[in-house]
């Protein structure tokens, strides 16, 4: 986040809120599995294997694979469009969320979770540089580690005294999305999922406008 412009950091916070919203819907609606938190799903996988619950283990493993498939998709897009990949990646996220909302309307179940996990894996490719993810949008452990490191640096007198605020804001964005997602699911059930592709489409348009190449001034002399 150190080399990311402030408007894009603000957008990253909104994307984290989107991830929190989707994760809350998945967790509250389908048996405590996650759409974005793969450490949690990996724990469910291990517990399922250890306790003999083949169904839970299969769901957890499928979610991990779907998430990785989404990461692969965003990485391919990033390599194909290295200078303007962000709107394309977000378009893919929006399409996956839309498909998930359609499936949830017709036949809610594990397939919805797989689509949501793929969407969240794809979302993580929005901010990448030189093939590496620069801002993790759907998992907060790394952000909390950075928050602690930056706070320690501020206490020790580092020049960047307020760098921790960016990571705190990202975490708060995710938490806000979780709260809204849980409340929305309580009120509207799976119909609340339609809010995700709508919000994602708005963020896609914002990203497209922010990353649009600026026109170069015409320096041709008029005779």
């Amino acid at each position: 986040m150190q080399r990311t412009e402030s408007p894009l950091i603000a957008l990253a916070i909104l994307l984290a809120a989107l991830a929190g919203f989707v994760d809350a819907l998945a967790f509250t609606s389908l048996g405590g599995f996650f759409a974005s938190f793969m450490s949690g799903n990996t724990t469910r996988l291990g517990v399922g294997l250890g306790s003999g619950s083949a169904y839970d283990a299969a769901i957890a493993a499928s979610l991990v694979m779907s998430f990785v498939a989404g990461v692969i998709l965003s990485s391919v897009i990033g390599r194909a469009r290295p200078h303007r990949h962000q709107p394309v990646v977000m378009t893919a996220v929006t399409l996956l969320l839309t498909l998930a909302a359609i499936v949830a309307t017709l036949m809610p179940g594990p397939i919805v979770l797989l689509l949501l996990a793929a969407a969240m894996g794809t979302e993580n490719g929005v901010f990448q540089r030189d093939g590496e993810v620069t801002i993790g949008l759907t998992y907060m452990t790394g952000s909390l580690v950075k928050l602690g490191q930056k706070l320690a640096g501020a206490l020790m007198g580092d020049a960047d005294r307020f760098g921790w605020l960016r990571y705190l804001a990202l975490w708060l964005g995710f938490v806000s999305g979780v709260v809204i997602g849980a409340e929305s699911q309580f009120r509207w059930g799976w119909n609340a999922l339609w809010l995700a592709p709508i919000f994602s489409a708005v963020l896609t348009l914002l990203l497209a406008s922010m990353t649009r190449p600026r026109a170069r001034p015409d320096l041709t002399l008029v005779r």
Side-chain angles (χ1 to χ4, degrees):
M1 292 180 75
Q2 299 299 115
R3 297 165 57 188
T4 305
E5 298 176 359
S6 295
L8 289 178
I9 290 177
L11 195 63
I13 294 169
L14 294 176
L15 286 167
L18 173 63
F21 178 88
V22 169
D23 220 23
L25 285 179
F27 182 82
T28 55
S29 299
L30 291 171
F33 290 96
F34 301 92
S36 69
F37 180 47
M38 291 304 115
S39 294
N41 287 332
T42 302
T43 301
R44 291 295 303 265
L45 170 61
V47 171
L49 292 174
S51 63
S53 178
Y55 177 80
D56 284 358
I59 292 294
S62 298
L63 288 169
V64 172
M65 289 188 289
S66 293
F67 185 88
V68 172
V71 174
I72 293 171
L73 174 60
S74 64
S75 297
V76 170
I77 293 172
R79 287 175 177 268
R81 300 284 299 272
H83 302 298
R84 193 164 156 74
H85 69 279
Q86 292 168 322
V88 184
V89 170
M90 276 307 300
T91 298
V93 172
T94 302
L95 291 174
L96 286 167
L97 290 174
T98 301
L99 184 57
I102 293 172
V103 174
T105 301
L106 299 176
M107 48 176 185
I111 295 177
V112 179
L113 261 179
L114 297 179
L115 291 169
L116 294 178
M120 294 299 95
T122 305
E123 184 181 313
N124 274 294
V126 172
F127 294 100
Q128 55 178 297
R129 185 182 299 115
D130 300 326
E132 299 291 333
V133 172
T134 56
I135 303 177
L137 298 171
T138 70
Y139 48 90
M140 293 296 110
T141 303
S143 295
L144 291 175
V145 170
K146 288 289 187 181
L147 170 63
Q149 290 174 332
K150 293 295 181 181
L151 277 171
L155 292 173
M156 297 297 292
D158 287 358
D160 186 15
R161 295 172 55 192
F162 300 103
W164 57 273
L165 285 173
R166 292 186 286 268
Y167 298 98
L168 176 62
L170 193 67
W171 179 77
L172 289 175
F174 187 89
V175 172
S176 299
V178 172
V179 173
I180 296 171
E183 177 68 18
S184 299
Q185 196 280 334
F186 176 76
R187 290 177 178 273
W188 303 305
W190 273 117
N191 289 328
L193 184 55
W194 283 103
L195 296 174
I198 293 172
F199 189 42
S200 181
V202 172
L203 296 181
T204 302
L205 294 175
L206 285 174
L207 256 178
S209 64
M210 286 180 176
T211 59
R212 183 180 296 117
R214 297 177 182 177
R216 295 182 179 180
D218 187 358
L219 300 179
T220 304
L221 295 177
V222 179
R223 295 182 180 178

